[in-house]
Amino acid sequence: QTTKAETNGSESCLKEQSCLPLGGQSVWASLPPMSNASAEHQKPIIMVVASQDSASFFRDRSLGADSPISGLIALLTAVDALSHLHDLGKLKKQLVFAAFDGEAWGYLGSRKFLQELDEGDDSVNGINSSMIEQVLEIGSVGKGISQGDTLFYAHASRNSSISKKILDGLQSGSDSLGSDNVKVKPAASSNPGVPPSSLMSFMRKNTSTSGVVLEDFDSQFSNRFYHSHLDSPANINSSSIAAAAALVARSLYILATGDMTVDLMTLNTIKVNVTLVEELIGCLLTCDPGLSCGIAKSFISPSNACPSHYVGVFQDSPSSTQFPSYADDTSRFIWNFLADRTSTLASNVSSCTVKCNNESEVCVGGEVEGGGRCVVSTTRYVPAYSTRLKFEDNAWHVLPANSSDPMGAADPVWTESYWNTISLRVYAVQSTTSDRLILLAGLAVTAASYLGVVVGRAYISKITKRD
């Protein structure tokens, strides 16, 4: 009854346009780019995912430094480290990176991504769900350093041979880092399963999915500022994020080689840019410089320098193209960053502002003054909103729960009240001196009034007796 009442309430307010559905834009990219984004002759896919949104009591202060932005920064840094390798196309497996939006609200992004895969939409052209062999999620990794040691925990979805391969890959990646002393351990077997994560969406969709969530905790969640404005840069350690990125980058290279012999010389050249980690923290988690930082301004023209990772709302139809009108600053920055780092140079270098002539090319940095450049990259936006919503006849409609879909039955419909104009009146607090002067003036008026009453009564009494 509770679920039905909530659904009816959401449907009613959506029809009356007194509320709007929560939603945003997820981003995915392949490394290296997929040839013509075709699923033919596709290699097995290793999905590497992270969340890009958070929540807090004050939506504009939804930073989520440790949970989940530390994982997002580690993912972006790992992509940067791997992008410097040559001949990635010769590896046995295809790397696909995804940053899901709306995960703080019922895993909107990952659920919608999987639905788009089932329906074969253009936003996921080039990916076949049956080819997703392994899923590695980077969770909270900003607090992995304790007493000088760097330690992460790998939470496996199920006890399978594929999960064991991922764990072995992470261990081999850790061993290859040698003196950097980055350790990884399997999470305690007594844990009831994986922690709340996007991986759960994959598992609910397909119970045979094998994956691992990399976290900075074992059995007890360690972020006491979760979904709070206090989950700020002061709550994370940049060295921990850099260590996680190095571990992930090397482990992915090892996993992607499959049954091939790992090239140790190439493996040892995979190093993360620590300066990039620091810069991304400044860009995504502070107001100074915020999204006015150099790397962000080379890609986008931000609407606000102060970052906020609240998912936002859809005001009208979710765009089916790769140029969504409601992509927020964070999504646009991630899209441009991934498109740039996973790209190869186009045959004919040309400038652009929105799109390129060749279908396999995308326009990176098209927002900035002077235009961007066309590169070959398989980077896509995927709308992130409830799988039980449909936009039709210029209005949102709530679809009934699909009992045959293990995800749809539990998929909530999150909405936000539609505010036309919000105003605020502020009153300045007077100084203590003013308050004291007013009090003295009041006392003086009271004393003068009392004196006037006494004198007046005496005068009237005197006149009356004389008469």
Side-chain angles (χ1 to χ4, degrees):
Q1 290 297 325
T2 302
T3 304
K4 185 176 180 180
E6 291 174 352
T7 301
N8 289 340
S10 296
E11 185 168 16
S12 175
C13 78
L14 286 170
K15 285 182 177 179
E16 296 170 0
Q17 296 186 344
S18 58
C19 67
L20 294 170
L22 296 189
Q25 296 288 340
S26 301
V27 181
W28 71 270
S30 67
L31 182 67
M34 298 178 182
S35 300
N36 299 321
S38 173
E40 296 181 7
H41 310 295
Q42 193 179 53
K43 302 175 184 178
I45 293 175
I46 301 176
M47 285 284 302
V48 189
V49 305
S51 300
Q52 68 176 65
D53 74 298
S54 184
S56 70
F57 187 80
F58 300 101
R59 53 173 284 179
D60 292 332
R61 296 296 297 164
S62 301
L63 291 176
D66 187 37
S67 306
I69 303 303
S70 64
L72 173 65
I73 293 175
L75 181 145
L76 298 178
T77 307
V79 172
D80 176 74
L82 291 169
S83 68
H84 298 291
L85 300 183
H86 301 292
D87 299 328
L88 285 173
K90 295 181 180 179
L91 297 178
K92 291 289 187 178
K93 297 178 184 179
Q94 177 73 51
L95 297 177
V96 173
F97 299 87
F100 292 131
D101 206 359
E103 296 300 272
W105 303 93
Y107 303 102
L108 297 177
S110 54
R111 289 182 170 186
K112 189 62 180 176
F113 175 83
L114 291 169
Q115 184 188 55
E116 301 258 304
L117 277 179
D118 285 348
E119 297 175 353
D121 288 344
D122 290 341
S123 62
V124 290
N125 184 26
I127 302 181
N128 188 328
S129 59
S130 64
M131 298 302 292
I132 299 177
E133 182 181 273
Q134 302 169 351
V135 180
L136 173 60
E137 179 168 357
I138 311 175
S140 303
V141 293
K143 301 163 74 69
I145 296 180
S146 177
Q147 297 178 347
D149 296 326
T150 306
L151 175 62
F152 300 103
Y153 294 91
H155 300 255
S157 61
R158 51 199 293 269
N159 188 14
S160 67
S161 59
I162 295 179
S163 293
K164 188 177 184 303
K165 285 182 180 179
I166 302 176
L167 293 172
D168 290 343
L170 287 169
Q171 189 60 60
S172 298
S174 170
D175 294 341
S176 73
L177 290 169
S179 60
D180 290 342
N181 199 29
V182 180
K183 304 299 181 183
V184 60
K185 289 183 179 180
S189 57
S190 59
N191 289 345
V194 298
S197 56
S198 302
L199 177 60
M200 294 170 60
S201 297
F202 288 83
M203 294 166 57
R204 286 171 180 161
K205 190 67 176 178
N206 185 351
T207 55
S208 63
T209 299
S210 295
V212 167
V213 183
L214 188 69
E215 301 277 8
D216 56 15
F217 61 89
D218 185 4
S219 300
Q220 186 175 358
F221 188 60
S222 60
N223 185 7
R224 60 195 180 103
F225 297 131
Y226 178 70
H227 280 187
S228 160
H229 69 284
L230 296 176
D231 193 2
S232 63
N235 195 38
I236 57 175
N237 188 315
S238 62
S239 298
S240 176
I241 299 175
L247 173 64
V248 168
R250 293 203 176 192
S251 301
L252 289 176
Y253 178 77
I254 293 170
L255 291 170
T257 58
D259 55 5
M260 297 168 55
T261 302
V262 177
D263 186 339
L264 295 180
M265 289 185 63
T266 302
L267 179 65
N268 289 328
T269 63
I270 301 176
K271 299 183 183 298
V272 300
N273 185 346
V274 178
T275 303
L276 176 63
V277 174
E278 298 281 0
E279 187 173 10
L280 289 174
I281 290 175
C283 294
L284 297 173
L285 296 173
T286 68
C287 287
D288 184 17
L291 289 171
S292 294
C293 64
I295 190 171
K297 295 205 76 173
S298 67
F299 292 136
I300 65 172
S301 297
S303 59
N304 194 337
C306 287
S308 172
H309 304 303
Y310 177 69
V311 63
V313 296
F314 273 107
Q315 296 188 24
D316 55 22
S317 173
S319 176
S320 59
T321 71
Q322 283 307 302
F323 314 102
S325 56
Y326 291 114
D328 62 17
D329 292 341
T330 302
S331 293
R332 298 196 328 276
F333 169 69
I334 294 171
W335 186 94
N336 279 273
F337 184 95
L338 289 178
D340 178 67
R341 294 304 196 269
T342 62
S343 68
T344 57
L345 291 177
S347 54
N348 295 318
V349 180
S350 58
S351 60
C352 56
T353 54
V354 178
K355 60 187 299 185
C356 302
N357 295 327
N358 194 319
E359 290 185 0
S360 64
E361 298 176 4
V362 296
C363 181
V364 174
E367 296 180 34
V368 300
E369 186 178 353
R373 66 188 189 283
C374 290
V375 297
V376 177
S377 177
T378 308
T379 304
R380 303 281 185 269
Y381 285 110
V382 182
Y385 59 91
S386 174
T387 57
R388 293 179 57 196
L389 285 176
K390 183 179 182 180
F391 191 83
E392 194 174 54
D393 299 328
N394 294 321
W396 288 97
H397 301 274
V398 180
L399 304 176
N402 184 356
S403 58
S404 64
D405 182 0
M407 286 171 51
D411 192 2
V413 180
W414 292 97
T415 60
E416 179 184 296
S417 298
Y418 183 54
W419 310 103
N420 287 326
T421 303
I422 300 177
S423 61
L424 179 68
R425 183 173 293 177
V426 178
Y427 295 91
V429 177
Q430 296 184 104
S431 66
T432 305
T433 303
S434 299
D435 292 340
R436 289 173 178 170
L437 289 174
I438 292 173
L439 175 62
L440 291 174
L443 292 174
V445 170
T446 302
S449 299
Y450 179 77
L451 182 61
V453 169
V454 171
V455 172
R457 286 180 63 182
Y459 177 76
I460 293 172
S461 176
K462 184 177 179 180
I463 294 297
T464 304
K465 288 181 179 180
R466 186 179 298 173
D467 292 341

